[in-house]
Coordinates of all heavy atoms in Angstrom, one line a residue:
M2 N 194.7 1.7 139.7 CA 193.7 1.2 138.7 C 193.7 -0.3 138.5 O 194.9 -0.8 138.5 CB 194.2 1.9 137.4 CG 193.0 1.9 136.4 SD 193.5 2.7 134.8 CE 193.1 1.4 133.6
A3 N 192.6 -0.9 138.5 CA 192.6 -2.3 138.4 C 193.1 -2.9 137.0 O 192.9 -2.3 135.8 CB 191.2 -2.8 138.4
V4 N 193.9 -3.8 137.1 CA 194.6 -4.5 135.9 C 194.1 -5.9 135.8 O 194.1 -6.6 136.7 CB 196.1 -4.2 136.0 CG1 196.7 -4.9 134.7 CG2 196.5 -2.9 136.1
P5 N 193.6 -6.3 134.6 CA 193.3 -7.8 134.4 C 194.5 -8.7 134.7 O 195.5 -8.5 134.3 CB 192.8 -7.8 132.9 CG 193.3 -6.6 132.3 CD 193.5 -5.4 133.3
K6 N 194.1 -9.7 135.4 CA 195.2 -10.6 135.9 C 195.7 -11.4 134.7 O 196.8 -11.8 134.6 CB 194.7 -11.6 136.9 CG 195.7 -12.2 137.8 CD 195.1 -12.9 139.1 CE 196.1 -13.3 140.0 NZ 195.5 -14.0 141.3
K7 N 194.8 -11.9 133.8 CA 195.1 -12.7 132.7 C 194.4 -12.1 131.4 O 193.3 -11.5 131.5 CB 194.6 -14.2 132.9 CG 195.6 -14.9 133.9 CD 194.9 -16.3 134.1 CE 195.8 -17.1 135.1 NZ 195.1 -18.4 135.4
R8 N 195.0 -12.4 130.3 CA 194.4 -11.9 129.1 C 193.3 -12.9 128.8 O 193.3 -14.1 128.9 CB 195.4 -11.8 128.0 CG 195.6 -12.9 127.2 CD 196.5 -12.6 126.1 NE 196.6 -13.6 125.0 CZ 197.5 -13.5 124.0 NH1 198.4 -12.6 124.0 NH2 197.4 -14.5 123.1
P9 N 192.1 -12.3 128.3 CA 191.0 -13.2 127.9 C 191.4 -14.3 126.7 O 192.1 -13.9 125.9 CB 189.9 -12.3 127.5 CG 190.6 -11.0 127.1 CD 191.8 -11.0 127.9
S10 N 190.7 -15.4 126.9 CA 191.0 -16.5 125.9 C 190.3 -16.1 124.6 O 189.5 -15.2 124.5 CB 190.5 -17.8 126.3 OG 189.0 -17.8 126.4
H11 N 190.9 -16.8 123.5 CA 190.2 -16.5 122.2 C 188.7 -16.7 122.1 O 187.9 -16.0 121.6 CB 190.9 -17.3 121.1 CG 192.2 -16.8 120.5 ND1 192.0 -15.9 119.4 CD2 193.4 -16.8 120.9 CE1 193.2 -15.5 119.1 NE2 194.1 -16.0 120.0
A12 N 188.3 -17.9 122.7 CA 187.0 -18.2 122.8 C 186.1 -17.1 123.5 O 185.1 -16.7 122.9 CB 186.7 -19.6 123.6
R13 N 186.6 -16.7 124.6 CA 185.9 -15.6 125.3 C 185.7 -14.3 124.6 O 184.8 -13.7 124.5 CB 186.6 -15.3 126.6 CG 185.7 -15.0 127.7 CD 186.6 -14.7 129.1 NE 185.6 -14.0 130.0 CZ 185.0 -14.7 130.9 NH1 185.1 -16.0 131.1 NH2 184.2 -14.1 131.8
T14 N 186.9 -14.0 123.9 CA 186.9 -12.8 123.1 C 185.9 -12.8 122.0 O 185.2 -11.9 121.7 CB 188.3 -12.5 122.5 OG1 189.2 -12.7 123.6 CG2 188.4 -11.2 121.8
Y15 N 185.9 -14.0 121.1 CA 185.1 -14.1 120.0 C 183.7 -14.3 120.4 O 182.7 -13.9 119.7 CB 185.6 -15.2 119.1 CG 186.9 -14.7 118.4 CD1 188.1 -14.9 118.8 CD2 186.7 -13.8 117.3 CE1 189.2 -14.5 118.1 CE2 187.8 -13.3 116.6 CZ 189.1 -13.6 117.0 OH 190.1 -13.1 116.5
R16 N 183.4 -14.9 121.6 CA 182.0 -15.1 122.0 C 181.4 -13.8 122.3 O 180.3 -13.4 121.8 CB 182.0 -15.9 123.4 CG 180.7 -16.5 123.7 CD 180.6 -16.9 125.1 NE 181.6 -17.9 125.4 CZ 182.2 -18.1 126.5 NH1 182.0 -17.3 127.7 NH2 183.1 -19.0 126.7
R17 N 182.2 -12.8 122.9 CA 181.8 -11.5 123.2 C 181.4 -10.8 121.9 O 180.5 -10.0 121.7 CB 182.8 -10.8 124.0 CG 182.3 -9.3 124.6 CD 183.4 -8.7 125.4 NE 184.7 -8.4 124.6 CZ 185.9 -8.9 125.1 NH1 185.9 -9.8 126.2 NH2 186.9 -8.7 124.4
K18 N 182.4 -10.9 121.0 CA 182.3 -10.2 119.6 C 181.1 -10.5 118.8 O 180.2 -9.8 118.4 CB 183.5 -10.4 118.7 CG 184.7 -9.5 119.2 CD 185.9 -9.7 118.3 CE 187.0 -8.8 118.7 NZ 188.2 -9.1 118.0
R19 N 180.8 -12.0 118.9 CA 179.7 -12.5 118.2 C 178.3 -12.2 118.8 O 177.3 -12.2 118.2 CB 179.8 -14.1 118.0 CG 180.6 -14.5 116.8 CD 180.6 -16.0 116.6 NE 182.0 -16.3 116.6 CZ 182.6 -17.2 117.4 NH1 182.0 -17.7 118.3 NH2 183.8 -17.5 117.2
A20 N 178.4 -11.9 120.1 CA 177.1 -11.5 120.8 C 176.5 -10.2 120.3 O 175.2 -10.1 120.1 CB 177.3 -11.4 122.3
N21 N 177.3 -9.3 119.8 CA 176.8 -8.0 119.2 C 176.6 -8.1 117.8 O 176.2 -7.0 117.2 CB 177.8 -6.9 119.7 CG 177.9 -6.8 121.1 OD1 177.0 -7.0 121.9 ND2 179.1 -6.5 121.5
E22 N 176.9 -9.3 117.2 CA 176.9 -9.4 115.7 C 175.5 -9.6 115.3 O 174.8 -10.3 115.8 CB 177.9 -10.6 115.3 CG 178.1 -10.8 113.9 CD 179.0 -11.9 113.7 OE1 180.2 -11.6 113.7 OE2 178.6 -13.0 113.6
K23 N 175.1 -8.9 114.1 CA 173.7 -9.1 113.7 C 173.8 -10.2 112.7 O 174.6 -10.2 111.7 CB 173.2 -7.8 113.0 CG 172.6 -6.9 113.9 CD 172.1 -5.7 113.2 CE 171.6 -4.7 114.3 NZ 171.0 -3.4 113.6
R24 N 172.9 -11.2 112.8 CA 172.8 -12.3 111.9 C 171.6 -12.1 111.0 O 170.5 -11.6 111.4 CB 172.6 -13.6 112.7 CG 174.0 -14.3 113.0 CD 173.8 -15.3 114.0 NE 174.7 -14.9 115.2 CZ 174.4 -15.3 116.4 NH1 173.4 -16.2 116.6 NH2 175.2 -15.0 117.4
S25 N 171.7 -12.6 109.7 CA 170.6 -12.3 108.8 C 169.4 -13.4 109.1 O 169.7 -14.5 109.5 CB 171.1 -12.6 107.4 OG 171.5 -13.9 107.1
L26 N 168.2 -12.9 109.1 CA 167.1 -13.8 109.4 C 166.7 -14.8 108.2 O 166.1 -15.7 108.5 CB 165.8 -12.8 109.7 CG 166.0 -12.0 111.0 CD1 164.8 -10.9 111.0 CD2 166.0 -12.8 112.2
V27 N 167.1 -14.3 107.0 CA 166.7 -15.2 105.9 C 167.9 -15.8 105.3 O 168.9 -15.0 105.0 CB 166.0 -14.3 104.8 CG1 165.4 -15.3 103.8 CG2 164.7 -13.6 105.5
T28 N 167.9 -17.0 105.0 CA 169.1 -17.7 104.3 C 168.8 -17.5 102.9 O 167.8 -17.7 102.4 CB 169.3 -19.1 104.8 OG1 167.9 -19.7 104.6 CG2 169.8 -19.3 106.1
I29 N 169.9 -17.0 102.2 CA 169.8 -16.9 100.7 C 170.7 -17.8 100.1 O 171.9 -17.9 100.3 CB 170.0 -15.3 100.4 CG1 169.1 -14.4 101.1 CG2 170.0 -15.2 98.8 CD1 169.6 -13.0 101.2
G30 N 170.2 -18.6 99.1 CA 170.9 -19.6 98.3 C 171.3 -19.0 97.1 O 171.0 -17.9 96.7
V31 N 172.0 -19.7 96.2 CA 172.4 -19.4 94.8 C 171.9 -20.4 93.9 O 171.8 -21.5 94.0 CB 174.0 -19.5 94.7 CG1 174.4 -19.1 93.4 CG2 174.6 -18.5 95.8
C32 N 171.3 -19.8 92.8 CA 170.7 -20.5 91.7 C 171.6 -21.3 91.0 O 172.6 -20.9 90.6 CB 169.9 -19.6 90.8 SG 169.1 -20.5 89.5
P33 N 171.4 -22.7 90.9 CA 172.5 -23.5 90.1 C 172.5 -23.2 88.7 O 173.5 -23.5 88.0 CB 172.0 -25.0 90.4 CG 170.6 -24.9 90.8 CD 170.3 -23.5 91.4
T34 N 171.4 -22.7 88.1 CA 171.3 -22.5 86.7 C 171.9 -21.1 86.3 O 172.6 -21.0 85.2 CB 169.9 -22.7 86.0 OG1 169.1 -22.2 87.0 CG2 169.6 -24.1 85.8
C35 N 171.5 -20.1 87.0 CA 172.0 -18.7 86.5 C 172.7 -18.0 87.6 O 173.2 -16.9 87.5 CB 170.7 -17.8 86.2 SG 169.6 -17.4 87.6
E36 N 173.0 -18.7 88.8 CA 173.8 -18.2 89.8 C 173.3 -16.8 90.5 O 174.2 -16.0 90.9 CB 175.3 -18.1 89.4 CG 175.9 -19.5 89.2 CD 177.3 -19.4 88.7 OE1 177.9 -18.3 88.6 OE2 177.9 -20.5 88.4
S37 N 172.1 -16.6 90.4 CA 171.6 -15.4 91.1 C 171.0 -15.7 92.5 O 170.6 -16.9 92.7 CB 170.5 -14.7 90.2 OG 169.4 -15.6 90.1
P38 N 171.0 -14.8 93.4 CA 170.4 -15.1 94.7 C 169.0 -15.6 94.7 O 168.2 -14.9 94.1 CB 170.6 -13.9 95.5 CG 170.8 -12.7 94.6 CD 171.4 -13.4 93.3
V39 N 168.7 -16.6 95.4 CA 167.3 -17.2 95.4 C 166.9 -17.5 96.9 O 167.8 -18.0 97.7 CB 167.2 -18.5 94.7 CG1 165.8 -18.4 93.9 CG2 168.4 -18.8 93.9
L40 N 165.7 -17.4 97.2 CA 165.2 -17.8 98.5 C 165.1 -19.4 98.5 O 164.8 -19.9 97.5 CB 163.8 -17.2 98.8 CG 163.7 -15.8 99.1 CD1 162.4 -15.2 99.1 CD2 164.4 -15.5 100.4
P41 N 165.3 -20.0 99.5 CA 165.1 -21.5 99.6 C 163.7 -22.0 99.4 O 162.8 -21.3 99.9 CB 165.7 -21.9 101.0 CG 165.7 -20.7 101.8 CD 165.7 -19.6 100.9
H42 N 163.5 -23.0 98.6 CA 162.2 -23.6 98.3 C 161.4 -22.7 97.5 O 160.2 -22.7 97.5 CB 161.5 -24.1 99.6 CG 162.2 -25.1 100.4 ND1 162.4 -26.3 100.1 CD2 162.9 -24.9 101.6 CE1 163.1 -27.0 101.0 NE2 163.5 -26.1 101.9
H43 N 162.1 -21.9 96.7 CA 161.3 -21.0 95.7 C 161.9 -21.1 94.3 O 163.2 -21.3 94.2 CB 161.5 -19.5 96.3 CG 160.6 -19.2 97.4 ND1 159.4 -18.4 97.3 CD2 160.8 -19.5 98.7 CE1 158.9 -18.3 98.5 NE2 159.6 -19.0 99.4
A44 N 161.2 -20.9 93.4 CA 161.7 -20.9 92.0 C 162.5 -19.5 91.8 O 162.1 -18.5 92.4 CB 160.5 -20.9 91.1
C45 N 163.5 -19.6 91.0 CA 164.3 -18.6 90.7 C 163.6 -17.4 90.0 O 162.9 -17.7 89.0 CB 165.5 -19.0 90.0 SG 166.7 -17.6 89.5
P46 N 163.6 -16.2 90.6 CA 162.9 -15.1 89.9 C 163.5 -14.7 88.5 O 162.8 -14.1 87.7 CB 162.9 -14.0 90.8 CG 164.0 -14.3 91.7 CD 164.2 -15.7 91.7
S47 N 164.8 -15.0 88.3 CA 165.5 -14.4 87.1 C 165.4 -15.4 86.0 O 165.2 -15.0 84.8 CB 166.8 -14.0 87.4 OG 167.6 -15.0 87.9
C48 N 165.4 -16.7 86.2 CA 165.4 -17.7 85.2 C 164.3 -18.7 85.3 O 163.8 -19.4 84.3 CB 166.7 -18.6 85.1 SG 166.9 -19.7 86.5
G49 N 163.5 -18.6 86.3 CA 162.2 -19.4 86.5 C 162.5 -20.8 86.7 O 161.6 -21.7 86.6
Y50 N 163.7 -21.2 87.1 CA 164.0 -22.7 87.4 C 163.9 -23.1 88.7 O 164.2 -22.3 89.8 CB 165.4 -23.0 86.9 CG 165.4 -23.4 85.4 CD1 165.2 -22.5 84.4 CD2 165.8 -24.7 85.1 CE1 165.2 -22.9 83.0 CE2 165.8 -25.1 83.8 CZ 165.6 -24.2 82.7 OH 165.7 -24.6 81.4
Y51 N 163.4 -24.3 89.1 CA 163.4 -24.8 90.4 C 163.6 -26.3 90.2 O 163.0 -27.0 89.5 CB 162.0 -24.6 91.0 CG 162.0 -25.2 92.5 CD1 162.7 -24.5 93.5 CD2 161.2 -26.3 92.8 CE1 162.6 -25.0 94.8 CE2 161.1 -26.7 94.1 CZ 161.9 -26.1 95.1 OH 161.9 -26.6 96.3
K52 N 164.6 -26.9 91.0 CA 165.1 -28.2 91.0 C 165.4 -28.7 89.5 O 165.0 -29.8 89.2 CB 164.0 -29.1 91.6 CG 164.0 -29.1 93.1 CD 163.0 -30.1 93.7 CE 163.2 -30.2 95.2 NZ 162.3 -31.2 95.8
G53 N 166.0 -27.9 88.8 CA 166.6 -28.2 87.4 C 165.4 -28.3 86.4 O 165.6 -28.7 85.3
Q54 N 164.2 -27.8 86.8 CA 163.1 -27.7 85.7 C 162.6 -26.4 85.7 O 162.6 -25.6 86.7 CB 162.0 -28.7 86.2 CG 162.3 -30.1 86.0 CD 161.1 -30.9 86.2 OE1 160.3 -30.6 87.1 NE2 160.9 -32.1 85.5
E55 N 162.2 -25.9 84.4 CA 161.7 -24.6 84.2 C 160.2 -24.5 84.8 O 159.4 -25.3 84.3 CB 161.7 -24.2 82.8 CG 161.5 -22.6 82.7 CD 161.7 -22.1 81.4 OE1 162.0 -22.9 80.4 OE2 161.4 -20.9 81.2
V56 N 160.0 -23.8 85.9 CA 158.6 -23.8 86.5 C 157.9 -22.5 86.0 O 156.7 -22.8 85.5 CB 158.8 -23.8 88.0 CG1 157.4 -23.9 88.6 CG2 159.6 -25.0 88.5
I57 N 158.5 -21.5 86.0 CA 158.0 -20.2 85.4 C 158.5 -19.9 84.1 O 159.8 -19.8 84.1 CB 158.2 -19.1 86.5 CG1 157.8 -19.5 87.8 CG2 157.3 -17.9 86.0 CD1 158.3 -18.5 89.0
P58 N 157.9 -19.7 83.1 CA 158.4 -19.3 81.8 C 158.9 -18.0 81.7 O 158.4 -17.1 81.1 CB 157.3 -19.6 80.7 CG 156.0 -19.4 81.5 CD 156.4 -19.8 83.0
V59 N 160.1 -17.6 82.4 CA 160.6 -16.3 82.5 C 161.6 -16.2 81.3 O 161.5 -15.0 80.6 CB 161.4 -16.1 83.8 CG1 162.1 -14.7 83.8 CG2 160.5 -16.3 85.1
L60 N 162.4 -17.1 81.0 CA 163.3 -16.9 79.9 C 162.5 -16.8 78.5 O 162.9 -15.9 77.7 CB 164.2 -18.2 79.8 CG 165.3 -18.2 81.0 CD1 166.2 -19.5 80.9 CD2 166.2 -17.0 81.0
A61 N 161.6 -17.6 78.3 CA 160.8 -17.5 77.2 C 160.1 -16.1 77.0 O 160.2 -15.5 75.9 CB 159.7 -18.5 77.2
E62 N 159.6 -15.6 78.1 CA 159.1 -14.2 77.9 C 160.1 -13.2 77.7 O 159.9 -12.3 76.9 CB 158.4 -14.0 79.4 CG 157.0 -14.5 79.4 CD 156.4 -14.2 80.9 OE1 156.8 -13.3 81.5 OE2 155.5 -15.0 81.2
K63 N 161.3 -13.3 78.3 CA 162.4 -12.4 78.0 C 162.8 -12.5 76.5 O 163.0 -11.4 75.8 CB 163.6 -12.7 78.9 CG 163.5 -12.1 80.3 CD 164.8 -12.4 81.0 CE 164.6 -11.9 82.4 NZ 165.7 -12.2 83.3
E64 N 162.8 -13.7 75.9 CA 163.2 -13.8 74.6 C 162.0 -13.1 73.7 O 162.5 -12.5 72.6 CB 163.3 -15.3 74.2 CG 164.7 -15.8 74.6 CD 164.8 -17.3 74.5 OE1 164.0 -18.0 73.7 OE2 165.6 -18.0 75.1
K65 N 160.8 -13.4 74.0 CA 159.7 -12.7 73.3 C 159.9 -11.2 73.2 O 159.8 -10.5 72.2 CB 158.4 -13.1 73.9 CG 157.9 -14.4 73.5 CD 156.5 -14.7 74.2 CE 156.1 -16.1 73.9 NZ 154.8 -16.4 74.7
E66 N 160.2 -10.6 74.4 CA 160.4 -9.2 74.6 C 161.6 -8.8 73.7 O 161.5 -7.7 73.0 CB 160.7 -8.8 76.0 CG 159.4 -8.8 76.9 CD 159.8 -8.6 78.4 OE1 160.9 -8.1 78.7 OE2 158.8 -8.9 79.2
K67 N 162.7 -9.6 73.6 CA 163.8 -9.2 72.8 C 163.4 -9.2 71.3 O 163.7 -8.3 70.6 CB 164.9 -10.2 73.0 CG 165.8 -9.9 74.2 CD 167.0 -10.9 74.3 CE 167.8 -10.7 75.4 NZ 169.0 -11.8 75.6
K68 N 162.7 -10.1 70.9 CA 162.2 -10.2 69.5 C 161.3 -9.0 69.2 O 161.4 -8.4 68.1 CB 161.4 -11.5 69.3 CG 162.3 -12.7 69.2 CD 161.6 -14.0 68.8 CE 162.6 -15.2 68.8 NZ 161.8 -16.4 68.7
K69 N 160.4 -8.7 70.1 CA 159.6 -7.5 69.9 C 160.5 -6.3 69.7 O 160.2 -5.4 68.8 CB 158.7 -7.3 71.1 CG 157.4 -8.1 71.0 CD 156.5 -7.9 72.3 CE 155.4 -8.7 72.3 NZ 154.5 -8.6 73.5
K70 N 161.5 -6.1 70.6 CA 162.3 -4.9 70.5 C 163.0 -4.9 69.1 O 163.3 -4.0 68.5 CB 163.3 -4.9 71.7 CG 162.7 -4.4 72.9 CD 163.8 -4.4 74.1 CE 163.1 -4.1 75.3 NZ 164.0 -4.2 76.5
E71 N 163.5 -6.2 68.6 CA 164.2 -6.3 67.4 C 163.3 -5.9 66.2 O 163.7 -5.3 65.2 CB 164.8 -7.8 67.2 CG 165.9 -8.0 68.0 CD 166.3 -9.5 68.0 OE1 165.9 -10.2 67.3 OE2 167.3 -9.8 68.8
K72 N 162.0 -6.4 66.2 CA 161.1 -6.0 65.2 C 160.9 -4.4 65.2 O 160.9 -3.9 64.0 CB 159.7 -6.6 65.6 CG 159.7 -8.1 65.1 CD 158.4 -8.7 65.4 CE 158.5 -10.3 65.0 NZ 157.1 -10.9 65.4
R73 N 160.9 -3.8 66.4 CA 160.7 -2.3 66.4 C 161.9 -1.6 65.7 O 161.7 -0.6 65.0 CB 160.4 -1.9 67.8 CG 159.0 -2.2 68.3 CD 159.0 -1.7 69.7 NE 157.8 -2.4 70.4 CZ 157.6 -2.4 71.7 NH1 158.5 -1.8 72.4 NH2 156.6 -3.0 72.2
A74 N 163.0 -2.1 66.1 CA 164.3 -1.5 65.6 C 164.6 -1.6 64.1 O 163.8 -2.4 63.5 CB 165.5 -2.0 66.3
Ligands
ZN27 ZN1 168.2 -18.9 88.1

C-alpha cells in the first residue's frame, strides 16, 4: 500500500479544508447604538439609527405602542 513520503504542511492542510468551507455571501455588521445585527449601508431595523442619527422613527413608534398598551391595562 502506498504511504505518503512526507506529512502535508499546515498551509496545504488548511488550504484544502478552507476549499470546502462555505463562506457567507452577505457581510453582517453590528449596530453601534443597540448592538443588533445590521446590513452594511442600511439603517438599523430595530432602533432606526444610521451613522449616529435616527433616520427611521422606530423607537418613538415603540414608545407610542407601549403607552397605548399601558392605557388599555
Ligand atoms: Zn440599532
Side-chain angles (χ1 to χ4, degrees):
M2 200 179 126
V4 178
K6 202 168 190 179
K7 284 176 183 174
R8 88 175 196 193
S10 66
H11 270 269
R13 212 183 168 93
T14 308
Y15 285 100
R16 195 195 302 146
R17 186 179 60 239
K18 281 181 180 177
R19 270 184 236 118
N21 302 321
E22 190 176 273
K23 277 185 184 176
R24 269 164 244 155
S25 64
L26 295 169
V27 185
T28 45
I29 301 161
V31 180
C32 177
T34 38
C35 70
E36 295 178 3
S37 64
V39 226
L40 289 169
H42 304 283
H43 283 258
C45 178
S47 58
C48 70
Y50 269 71
Y51 183 69
K52 283 187 174 180
Q54 286 186 327
E55 195 177 356
V56 185
I57 309 162
V59 179
L60 289 175
E62 281 176 22
K63 278 184 183 175
E64 281 174 17
K65 277 180 189 173
E66 283 173 17
K67 274 185 185 177
K68 280 180 185 175
K69 276 183 186 175
K70 281 178 185 174
E71 281 172 11
K72 278 181 185 175
R73 281 177 200 165

